[in-house]
């Protein structure tokens, strides 16, 4: 009698198992899709140079994304002093770790300040964009403008590179992160190169019209 009862219990348990497993899978945290990542690969312009992290435009970006009801989380992988060469070295590990849905590349200013060849800047920006696209990320390229004391020829070539790479690789472009900021000395730190904390909202406002639609799925294809 005990053996028959044990068999009955076993049969009932096996009959219920698929339903129980399905319900368990549905509520297991590991099975919940992770929030899509916006990975920001930048230099000091995105690394909160000279002020608290809470005031930086990348932190403000995370707040704006949440306020817009979008699911994305922001990972700021920016480092002060970073160049495109450094970005090329660091990006593969960042892509493997974070699997970003969107990669925002804000690099090149330090290449320009060092007077590095425009052709090398073009090549490394191309490498960065190609790496992001190969990893399945939508890429947004962010341009910058150098101070006027680098000579008209170099400045023109430097400025043109961002648009050339964006067009060649079919990615959206923010032409100048510092638009409306670097002309206003009240919004720049004493070094004349870095925006103040008060300028960070303007930097975000320069990025958002291009990035916002991308996050909503209506951006550049």
């Amino acid at each position: 009698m005990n053996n028959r009862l044990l068999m009955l219990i076993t049969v009932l348990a096996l009959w219920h198992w698929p339903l129980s497993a399905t319900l368990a899978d549905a509520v297991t945290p590991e099975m919940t899709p992770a929030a899509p990542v916006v990975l920001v690969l930048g230099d000091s312009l995105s690394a909160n140079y000279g002020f608290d992290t809470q005031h930086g435009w990348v932190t403000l970006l995370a707040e704006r994304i949440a306020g817009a009801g979008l699911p994305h989380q922001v990972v700021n992988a920016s480092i002060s002093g970073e160049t495109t060469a450094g970005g090329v070295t660091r990006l593969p590990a960042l892509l493997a770790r974070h699997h970003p849905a969107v990669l925002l590349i804000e690099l090149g200013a330090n290449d320009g300040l060092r007077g590095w060849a425009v052709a090398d800047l073009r090549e490394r920006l191309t490498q960065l964009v190609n790496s992001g696209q190969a990893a399945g990320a939508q890429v947004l390229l962010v341009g910058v403008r150098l101070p006027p004391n680098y000579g008209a020829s170099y400045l023109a070539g430097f400025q043109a590179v961002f648009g050339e790479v964006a067009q060649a690789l079919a990615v959206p472009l923010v032409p100048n992160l510092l638009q409306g900021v670097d002309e206003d000395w009240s919004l720049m730190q004493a070094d004349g190169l870095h925006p103040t904390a008060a300028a960070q909202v303007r930097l975000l406002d320069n990025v958002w019209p291009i990035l916002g639609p991308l996050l909503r799925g209506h951006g550049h294809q």
Side-chain angles (χ1 to χ4, degrees):
M1 186 65 176
N2 289 339
N3 289 340
R4 294 180 62 186
L5 180 58
L6 179 61
M7 184 179 295
L8 178 60
I9 292 172
T10 302
V11 170
L12 288 173
L14 291 174
W15 185 80
H16 282 291
W17 179 82
L19 178 60
S20 301
T22 301
L23 291 174
D25 289 346
V27 298
T28 300
E30 290 78 10
M31 298 299 291
T32 303
V37 169
V38 178
L39 178 64
V40 180
L41 182 69
D43 50 35
S44 56
L45 297 176
S46 301
N48 317 302
Y49 180 88
F51 49 82
D52 292 339
T53 300
Q54 62 182 340
H55 300 301
W57 78 265
V58 179
T59 301
L60 299 177
L61 169 62
E63 295 173 0
R64 185 168 295 186
I65 287 173
L70 295 167
H72 303 74
Q73 61 176 315
V74 177
V75 174
N76 192 357
S78 303
I79 298 176
S80 292
E82 184 68 292
T83 62
T84 54
V88 167
T89 299
R90 290 198 299 128
L91 184 57
L94 291 169
L95 292 173
R97 178 179 179 183
H98 299 291
H99 306 287
V102 175
L103 170 64
L104 190 153
I105 301 170
E106 180 276 298
L107 288 174
N110 289 306
D111 300 51
L113 292 174
R114 289 165 170 78
W116 288 357
V118 170
D120 292 339
L121 172 62
R122 181 185 295 106
E123 179 182 348
R124 288 190 288 264
L125 286 175
T126 299
Q127 284 183 263
L128 291 168
V129 173
N130 283 336
S131 294
Q133 291 178 326
Q138 290 184 287
V139 179
L140 172 59
L141 192 60
V142 178
V144 293
R145 186 165 60 196
L146 293 178
N149 57 321
Y150 279 77
S153 177
Y154 185 79
L155 289 176
F158 178 88
Q159 282 298 125
V161 162
F162 298 96
E164 291 167 1
V165 172
Q167 183 174 13
L169 301 180
V171 296
L173 170 70
V174 175
N176 181 17
L177 178 64
L178 300 178
Q179 183 68 40
V181 174
D182 54 358
E183 306 98 330
D184 186 345
W185 285 103
S186 70
L187 296 175
M188 299 296 289
Q189 297 182 41
D191 61 10
L193 298 174
H194 296 95
T196 63
Q200 298 302 302
V201 173
R202 294 200 186 187
L203 269 60
L204 176 56
D205 287 342
N206 288 335
V207 173
W208 187 251
I210 309 300
L211 178 58
L214 201 64
L215 299 181
R216 296 186 180 96
H218 305 299
H220 193 283
Q221 299 296 324

